[in-house]
Amino acid sequence: MEKSLGKKNIAVFISGRGSNLKSLIKYSNKKRSLFKVVLVISNNLNAKGLLIANKLKIKNHCIEYSNKKNFENQVLKLTKKYKIDLICLAGFMKILSSKFIRKFSKPIINIHPSLLPKYKGLNTHSRAIKNQDKYSGATVHIVNEKLDSGKIIIQEKVKILKKDKEKTLEKKILKIEHKIYPKAITKLLSNY
Ligand code: GRF
């Protein structure tokens, strides 16, 4: 990434609800933000996040995923067209190939609802509750070719209360996610 005075262009990849997308757009509209969300990519036409992108007037593309290679080639073209400096995965339910990661050649980061390296993959909240963990949380990390395994940028924890169910824990953690994702991007961009 080149150092410049302008804001960096980020692309957010989604598959569903898009609450992190919304919070990133909201943050990026602040004057002090080091980045702006210029592109949203979804693999799912029914992703609610696409409605958010449209409402907030962010360019968005839904790309058919049945052929991974095709999907990734189209995405690479778009990242060039929009001069993307950083890709942020936010509830994107597909795994990017190592070829894609290499070809994009700039950072790709992800937000995950657990205290990594604990609970990679799905159903993180129910696993934490089932194991009677005292804490859970959220992690923003660099994406590499292994699932939920790259270098951690920021992590924040939250107490799991006895009365917590999957839904209540999810709500608490989402609140943390919305706070730490912009923070992690800012931290990453400040180091370039
Ligand atoms: C979040 O919990 C994120 O950590 C995980 O998927 C969920 C996406 O939520 N990777 P949203 O679409 O941003 O609301």
Side-chain angles (χ1 to χ4, degrees):
M1 232 181 295
E2 284 160 36
K3 202 160 194 146
S4 86
L5 292 171
K7 291 188 178 192
K8 297 293 184 190
N9 292 337
I10 72 167
V12 182
F13 287 21
I14 58 164
S15 298
R17 180 176 52 193
S19 71
N20 277 288
L21 167 68
K22 191 173 173 189
S23 89
L24 287 178
I25 297 172
K26 204 170 143 203
Y27 181 93
S28 77
N29 286 335
K30 293 183 185 181
K31 210 171 161 194
R32 68 163 189 273
S33 169
L34 298 182
F35 62 89
K36 56 182 179 212
V37 180
V38 296
L39 176 65
V40 173
I41 302 269
S42 172
N43 65 303
N44 171 18
L45 192 55
N46 298 317
K48 289 222 174 78
L50 287 173
L51 302 177
I52 295 172
N54 278 329
K55 196 166 164 205
L56 299 176
K57 300 194 165 50
I58 308 291
K59 290 268 189 303
N60 55 88
H61 291 258
C62 179
I63 304 174
E64 234 267 290
Y65 194 84
S66 57
N67 181 324
K68 189 180 178 115
K69 206 170 154 193
N70 221 355
F71 172 89
E72 292 189 342
N73 283 338
Q74 286 194 57
V75 172
L76 278 173
K77 274 190 200 143
L78 286 169
T79 59
K80 285 202 181 97
K81 179 173 170 198
Y82 288 91
K83 300 191 165 50
I84 299 301
D85 298 301
L86 170 70
I87 291 174
C88 300
L89 310 183
F92 181 65
M93 302 303 283
K94 299 288 176 190
I95 295 171
L96 296 166
S97 71
S98 41
K99 200 167 173 189
F100 176 90
I101 297 172
R102 211 174 41 246
K103 276 195 173 165
F104 176 61
S105 77
K106 290 168 188 169
I108 304 175
I109 63 177
N110 179 44
I111 185 144
H112 185 76
S114 79
L115 295 173
L116 288 173
K118 255 191 158 176
Y119 310 129
K120 296 171 183 173
L122 298 174
N123 306 318
T124 55
H125 308 312
S126 55
R127 284 150 78 198
I129 290 173
K130 199 173 160 207
N131 283 342
Q132 300 183 326
D133 290 356
K134 286 204 166 67
Y135 293 94
S136 187
T139 306
V140 180
H141 65 92
I142 300 278
V143 170
N144 63 16
E145 57 288 337
K146 285 196 200 126
L147 181 69
D148 301 327
S149 295
K151 187 171 174 254
I152 290 171
I153 304 169
I154 284 187
Q155 189 164 68
E156 194 173 311
K157 62 182 182 178
V158 70
K159 216 172 176 140
I160 303 179
L161 304 176
K162 283 241 155 53
K163 60 176 186 195
D164 269 325
K165 300 271 178 293
E166 205 181 326
K167 276 280 157 217
T168 55
L169 184 57
E170 182 193 8
K171 206 167 157 197
K172 277 198 278 191
I173 292 179
L174 259 186
K175 213 165 153 194
I176 287 180
E177 292 185 34
H178 299 162
K179 194 174 92 189
I180 67 169
Y181 213 174
K183 243 189 191 175
I185 298 171
T186 305
K187 186 176 169 191
L188 185 76
L189 295 177
S190 311
N191 290 335
Y192 274 87

